[in-house]
Amino acid sequence: NAGVMQNPRHLVRRRGQEARLRCSPMKGHSHVYWYRQLPEEGLKFMVYLQKENIIDESGMPKERFSAEFPKEGPSILRIQQVVRGDSAAYFCASSPRITPDEAFFGQGTRLTVV
Amino acid sequence: DAKTTQPTSMDCAEGRAANLPCNHSTISGNEYVYWYRQIHSQGPQYIIHGLKNNETNEMASLIITEDRKSSTLILPHATLRDTAVYYCIVRALTGANSKLTFGKGITLSVRP
């Protein structure tokens, strides 16, 4: 059973471009969480999705950021018109049920905005 | 905001037990205690979780006090590869509260 797969592992974008980060949850998992980790800081929750639904987006910036988890395919975190402050590591986690199962994390996508 | 408090850092000698404390005095009856660790900016790794009873798995033991206001993660024989940031997290059962809220964690340094 493959783990949570994130791609790309590294992404470089120029200011103003769009960044699309993908997360394929573990097989059978229908819950996905996205986190952002700025350099030298802790992990900050961004959004929690179930298939085709956003459950909690309280950590998402109000502008430029969006997330989806379609019925088929990976979850996508999209950042439009990237700025240098968006440079960070973005992690996703998946779990099969809400609780008490553990959530498994991917290895992250490191976004660098130049 | 994280509902747990942990010391900033600690160290221990290789081969000795590492005891990592965590306070969660406002924990609710339906909230579990989870521990994750992050090794050098890799993805966080699940370690263990519990509700009331002490738990043990191949990685660690979790000791939860009777009033559930604090807990201790025990790595029985620490190795250099256990050097990491360890996060103690309380997590609810339902809905939006099921997200994992990370605090600053405790940096464990295992010395040779």
Side-chain angles (χ1 to χ4, degrees), chain A residues 19-23 34 49 66-70 74-78:
Chain A
R20 292 170 66 89
L21 288 62
R22 296 177 201 77
C23 171
W34 283 93
L49 310 105
S66 62
E68 62 177 6
F69 188 18
S75 176
I76 305 290
L77 179 68
R78 180 200 288 184

Side-chain angles (χ1 to χ4, degrees), chain A residues 46-102:
Chain A
M46 298 182 75
V47 62
Y48 164 33
L49 310 105
Q50 294 179 20
K51 287 281 189 180
E52 301 183 281
N53 286 304
I54 296 175
I55 305 302
D56 181 358
E57 56 181 349
S58 58
M60 287 281 271
K62 299 301 181 187
E63 297 177 346
R64 303 188 297 109
F65 285 72
S66 62
E68 62 177 6
F69 188 18
K71 186 176 181 180
E72 301 291 337
S75 176
I76 305 290
L77 179 68
R78 180 200 288 184
I79 311 172
Q80 296 177 299
Q81 299 177 321
V82 296
V83 301
R84 288 215 171 123
D86 297 332
S87 296
Y90 292 83
F91 294 97
C92 79
S94 72
S95 65
R97 296 187 292 274
I98 296 174
T99 54
D101 294 309
E102 60 269 29

